[in-house]
Amino acid sequence: MSNGVLSARDPDRPESIDVDAVVVGLGAGGSMVLRELARAGLDVLGLEMGSWYRPEEASPNEAEMLPRLFQESGARATEDFSVSILQGKGVGGSTLHNTNLCKRLPNAVLDHWADRFGLDWATGESLQRDFETVEDLLNVHRVPDHRVNRNNSIIESGLDELGWDGGRLKHNRHPEACKQSGFCELGCPNDGKQNAAKVLIPQALEAGATIWTEARADQITTRDGRATGVCGTSVDPIDGSPGSKDRDFTIRADVVCAAASATGSAALIRRSDVPDPHRLAGTNLHMHPGATVVGLYDRDVESWSGNPQSVECTEFLDHSDPTSGGVWLVAGAAHPAGASTFLPGFGRSHGRMMQSYPKIASIIAMLHDQSAGRVHPADDGGLHIDYSLHEPDYRELARGLRGAGRILFAGGAREVIVPTTPALRASSPGDLDGIDASDLAPLSPALAAVHPMSTLWMGSDPEESVVDPRGQHHQVDGLWVADGSLFPTSFGGPPQIPIYTMGLRVGRAILQEYSSTMSANR
Amino acid sequence: MATPFDKWIRIARSGADAMAQKAQSVGLATAGSMARRLLGQPRPDSGWADWEHGVTHRLLEVLCDYDDALPDPEAVHAVEATRNFVDTLPPRRRSQLHDLLAVIEAGPLVLAPDGQRLAFTSLPDSAAHTYIRGWSESSIPQRRAVFHALKSVCMMGYWSQEQTWSPIGFDPGDHHLDDPRNIGDDDE
Ligand SMILES: Cc1cc2nc3c(=O)[nH]c(=O)nc-3n(C[C@H](O)[C@H](O)[C@H](O)COP(=O)(O)OP(=O)(O)OC[C@H]3O[C@@H](n4cnc5c(N)ncnc54)[C@H](O)[C@@H]3O)c2cc1C
Ligand code: SF4
């Protein structure tokens, strides 16, 4: 491992240490905060429950990589199993296995956050400058033509044919290091991602940060309304639980930053009995749940090959009404085990669909969800998630499924499969017209979500938000949040750039607050 | 004007969803122990009981009853791969999977598919297919959930085996450094 990185399972690891700041979770938000604080000269420790991933260890085998890179081996789900929730672990968090799409927050969403939640900065120039800083740092650029794979070209030509809104996206892959292997969701074998692990963590370590891997934070400690540190334990990096040889640790710190994702931070803060007079922490969970619609083609598509996602359809997103929701459509590539799960049924008919695997293109219809769920800490140090869709979101989902099917037909599909129960096998666009909200229910279709957010959201009113507009907890000084939890609402787009940017801003706010507290104490 | 946001704040304050959550998780654990009682099988102290291995084996036979062009689950050691995958899950999730196996094994004793009141692993092929189809296409979401969860882990066991890839035309290429499919650098 690199200098400054220690496994918490190491027998020589100290039981307790004192630092200026501790950051829990090293994904998009946490890595950025770690970098900011280390570069400003703070003695900062990052705790990460997963391990240190090296590109040379990558394998194209899903059963090997999911346990290493995903929370609960990719089997995390809502309590009723109706939504699978894919989230990462390891130094780099979900940016290790994400598909690198980059987009700023829509202006209409930012306007709503300013009006409704008192986030004055949301409409200011400084936020746009921060987006730019992050985009430069991570080498964000438009996906060029020669990196659009066939699944995405089908979507692009379908959109053209229909005259629908959408188009090419930006990404943060390295123009040379990315070899187009298409394995992004299993961790890049070529170090082609300009992600938290490759860009931010080395800079943080270089500046003097320390990282403990396989270190799960279980409790934030507080005294007289101030954060005082974190307690936790070393854990098995695969199943995330402590074994007989694992040991507890205590970190004393002036600043605690929860960046363990919208599920992990919410569970940690709730478990820590941090004051929550309005019982808000962990509620308001949004996650852009989505269902995959498949098109069968007469020619090879080989959707697994090349950049998995590079084109979006925004025809069904209308941000002008902040309560209307909508649905965002992007390519839904998967490797064989993943694809076999979203292809409906079992036995002979399922086998025939799998034999068409090279000839399928797919689209995920992802909800800009207005429904809200809740994260609860579990007794074993893990968490439970409750979430169910309400009727307006089912209506939007139905619209998205129909729209996805139409794009696939416009791109040349001979058949489209919609994963309702029973599955709809459409042989013409007209067959899709009948799909409506009444066909949809939990597990019809099964949903998957990759963007949990909003559980510890920002706002100026402590009765209606968990943290203040800078990211500091309303009730506990020195406790900050810097991950997807911060967004007051969902927004129907890729969240990593907004989360990295929040990490930058929260890091800066911590430094400001820290230096004024220090000078007041002198 | 009240927004959906205000509505959920009210719900959250009432704590109603916390109760629903509790009922749901107790539901699966209770169903699992009832199923084990029906089967006369204790919960294994740790790891896998032989009968659980048998249920996984039978499930894979039914789910992957593909035509001859695709390999048999037995030939690709899909049961072992499924077990290995389940063993990577956190203890609570693992225990849910074991509960689901008990539920699926005991289900026919109550549901009697094609009139046969036998444990799942004792059902003849056609009744076993009818039975699993009953879960996958049920109008009851909880039953579809059982199918979905078990299908996901079994598919992981089967389709992660490299021998299943070439029969469906999947070729991961040499996906490591210097993959020959590098088709040029970005010029932006
Ligand atoms: C398959 C997939 C594809 C995606 N594709 C895109 C995309 O193309 N574009 C995009 O913008 N977004 C994408 N995302 C989402 C994006 O990656 C995430 O939204 C983002 O990384 C979340 O950042 P975060 O800081 O909130 O949390 P994460 O990046 O998830 O980091 C949280 C970290 O905290 C750690 N942690 C949790 N609990 C604890 C604890 N108690 N103690 C210590 N450590 C803990 C976790 O192990 C994890 O490493 C994708 C996600 C997935 C799953
Ligand atoms: S396409 Fe392959 S090389 Fe490029 S970022 Fe994804 S995994 Fe890495």
Side-chain angles (χ1 to χ4, degrees):
Chain A
M1 279 191 206
S2 303
N3 260 352
V5 184
L6 177 74
S7 165
R9 306 191 105 189
D10 188 319
D12 296 333
R13 180 266 288 164
E15 298 283 304
S16 65
I17 57 167
D18 290 52
V19 289
D20 297 331
V22 57
V23 179
V24 179
L26 295 178
S31 301
M32 187 65 96
V33 173
L34 190 80
R35 170 186 181 268
E36 288 306 295
L37 303 191
R39 281 158 52 112
L42 264 63
D43 180 11
V44 56
L45 169 70
L47 298 176
E48 170 52 53
M49 67 182 284
S51 54
W52 181 269
Y53 165 80
R54 287 180 302 127
E56 309 83 271
E57 295 163 344
S59 150
N61 187 316
E62 291 153 274
E64 274 176 47
M65 295 314 293
L66 266 70
R68 297 195 41 207
L69 294 184
F70 285 76
Q71 295 286 347
E72 304 186 30
S73 299
R76 176 169 280 176
T78 51
E79 282 301 296
D80 66 357
F81 295 109
S82 65
V83 190
S84 309
I85 300 160
L86 296 166
Q87 290 190 275
K89 66 179 178 202
V91 176
S94 301
T95 77
L96 287 171
H97 65 246
N98 79 15
T99 38
N100 296 79
L101 296 181
C102 295
K103 203 174 166 181
R104 296 185 185 186
L105 287 162
N107 287 336
V109 169
L110 290 168
D111 289 344
H112 175 55
W113 290 0
D115 283 358
R116 173 70 181 80
F117 301 95
L119 304 185
D120 295 339
W121 52 259
T123 49
E125 259 307 295
S126 74
L127 177 66
Q128 299 304 324
R129 275 198 304 276
D130 288 338
F131 279 141
E132 210 171 302
T133 303
V134 168
E135 288 162 351
D136 285 347
L137 188 63
L138 303 179
N139 199 357
V140 174
H141 59 286
R142 185 174 183 270
V143 180
D145 288 351
H146 68 272
R147 287 181 182 267
V148 176
N149 76 358
R150 273 177 255 168
N151 194 149
N152 285 277
S153 324
I154 283 171
I155 300 175
E156 210 157 45
S157 62
L159 289 176
D160 264 3
E161 173 79 21
L162 295 164
W164 283 1
D165 287 343
R168 196 71 61 80
L169 280 154
K170 294 182 174 178
H171 70 166
N172 61 327
R173 292 184 182 83
H174 191 279
E176 286 143 36
C178 168
K179 308 289 186 203
Q180 307 251 54
S181 72
F183 280 89
C184 306
E185 96 284 12
L186 300 183
C188 179
N190 300 311
D191 219 6
K193 299 179 174 200
Q194 298 300 97
N195 60 11
K198 182 175 174 189
V199 180
L200 306 180
I201 293 292
Q203 293 180 8
L205 291 171
E206 173 84 7
T210 307
I211 291 174
W212 287 4
T213 60
E214 299 160 357
R216 189 183 75 190
D218 290 332
Q219 181 103 30
I220 293 165
T221 53
T222 59
R223 197 176 46 240
D224 303 332
R226 258 213 84 80
T228 55
V230 165
C231 298
T233 177
S234 60
V235 288
D236 179 309
I238 297 294
D239 76 9
S241 63
S244 56
K245 293 206 174 122
D246 282 299
R247 291 178 300 134
D248 292 349
F249 55 76
T250 302
I251 315 294
R252 285 175 295 271
D254 298 319
V255 172
V256 175
C257 180
S261 86
T263 57
S265 291
L268 175 63
I269 283 184
R270 286 195 57 187
R271 178 178 294 114
S272 305
D273 288 329
V274 165
D276 186 11
H278 308 291
R279 306 185 60 184
L280 301 177
T283 62
N284 194 32
L285 170 70
H286 300 298
M287 48 187 177
H288 297 162
T292 304
V293 179
V294 169
L296 292 173
Y297 293 77
D298 290 324
R299 60 199 151 103
D300 279 348
V301 178
E302 297 188 344
S303 61
W304 67 82
S305 172
N307 292 354
Q309 296 175 320
S310 47
V311 174
E312 65 173 347
C313 167
T314 53
E315 179 73 13
F316 307 106
L317 275 178
D318 174 12
H319 288 301
S320 63
D321 174 0
T323 61
S324 77
V327 66
W328 183 57
L329 308 181
V330 276
H335 289 97
S340 68
T341 306
F342 66 62
L343 287 170
F346 66 95
R348 294 285 147 109
S349 64
H350 185 258
R352 278 192 293 275
M353 284 186 255
M354 285 305 289
Q355 284 172 288
S356 306
Y357 180 56
K359 296 186 189 320
I360 66 178
S362 59
I363 294 180
I364 311 178
M366 255 190 237
L367 278 169
H368 164 22
D369 48 338
Q370 306 296 297
S371 311
R374 188 167 193 169
V375 176
H376 312 263
D379 298 341
D380 62 0
L383 50 89
H384 304 283
I385 297 167
D386 285 314
Y387 181 93
S388 44
L389 287 184
H390 61 25
E391 178 67 20
D393 274 344
Y394 273 124
R395 278 202 298 275
E396 290 301 325
L397 183 60
R399 202 153 74 108
L401 297 173
R402 291 193 301 267
R406 284 191 178 279
I407 296 170
L408 292 166
F409 274 124
R414 72 176 145 78
E415 186 180 359
V416 164
I417 302 170
V418 183
T420 43
T421 304
L424 171 72
R425 299 193 69 150
S427 48
S428 73
D431 294 345
L432 301 164
D433 292 344
I435 304 170
D436 72 20
S438 64
D439 297 315
L440 310 182
L443 277 307
S444 175
L447 302 174
V450 295
H451 300 161
M453 57 178 77
S454 308
T455 50
L456 302 165
W457 66 105
M458 295 177 282
S460 51
D461 182 350
E463 287 194 24
E464 289 205 339
S465 56
V466 182
V467 301
D468 72 18
R470 298 171 313 155
Q472 182 166 224
H473 199 276
H474 279 303
Q475 316 295 333
V476 179
D477 289 342
L479 172 57
W480 298 77
V481 175
D483 56 28
S485 319
L486 291 172
F487 304 137
T489 66
S490 81
F491 51 90
Q496 67 165 348
I497 292 300
I499 296 174
Y500 281 120
T501 306
M502 288 303 139
L504 182 68
R505 295 178 70 89
V506 171
R508 219 184 275 143
I510 292 174
L511 289 171
Q512 230 169 35
E513 189 73 23
Y514 184 79
S515 61
S516 58
T517 313
M518 286 299 128
S519 41
N521 288 347
R522 264 200 291 271
Chain B
M1 191 188 80
T3 64
F5 191 80
D6 302 300
K7 192 171 147 211
W8 69 252
I9 289 184
R10 277 201 307 279
I11 295 169
R13 281 179 184 154
S14 78
D17 64 343
M19 279 166 60
Q21 177 258 324
K22 205 148 198 114
Q24 227 161 37
S25 62
V26 167
L28 177 56
T30 309
S33 57
M34 277 170 58
R36 272 186 289 270
R37 263 207 303 278
L38 258 176
L39 296 165
Q41 299 285 3
R43 174 184 274 276
D45 289 339
S46 64
W48 291 67
D50 287 348
W51 67 271
E52 292 175 319
H53 183 95
V55 179
T56 312
H57 183 268
R58 185 72 177 128
L59 255 178
L60 274 154
E61 275 180 350
V62 175
L63 295 175
C64 305
D65 179 17
Y66 300 142
D67 65 31
D68 294 342
L70 296 173
D72 195 71
E74 183 95 39
V76 301
H77 307 291
V79 182
E80 291 72 18
T82 304
R83 282 180 55 160
N84 289 342
F85 180 72
V86 170
D87 288 344
T88 69
L89 301 177
R92 189 178 79 92
R93 199 57 83 196
R94 216 181 299 156
S95 139
Q96 285 181 328
L97 255 303
H98 286 273
D99 286 334
L100 292 175
L101 289 174
V103 166
I104 213 81
E105 173 70 344
L109 300 174
V110 180
L111 302 167
D114 293 354
Q116 315 221 33
R117 211 171 282 281
L118 298 168
F120 168 58
T121 45
S122 303
L123 288 175
D125 285 351
S126 95
H129 279 257
T130 308
Y131 172 63
I132 294 297
R133 177 148 298 108
W135 290 89
S136 78
E137 294 181 357
S138 171
S139 58
I140 303 167
Q142 287 85 343
R143 290 193 57 196
R144 294 198 296 273
V146 171
F147 171 77
H148 178 69
L150 288 171
K151 175 182 167 184
S152 305
V153 292
C154 290
M155 292 293 114
M156 183 60 70
Y158 181 83
W159 290 106
S160 64
Q161 299 303 295
E162 294 191 16
Q163 305 94 300
T164 64
W165 296 352
S166 66
I168 55 165
F170 170 58
D171 168 16
D174 171 10
H175 92 309
H176 277 278
L177 294 162
D178 298 318
D179 187 310
R181 281 181 298 179
N182 179 7
I183 53 173
D185 299 340
D186 298 10
D187 38 23
E188 280 118 306

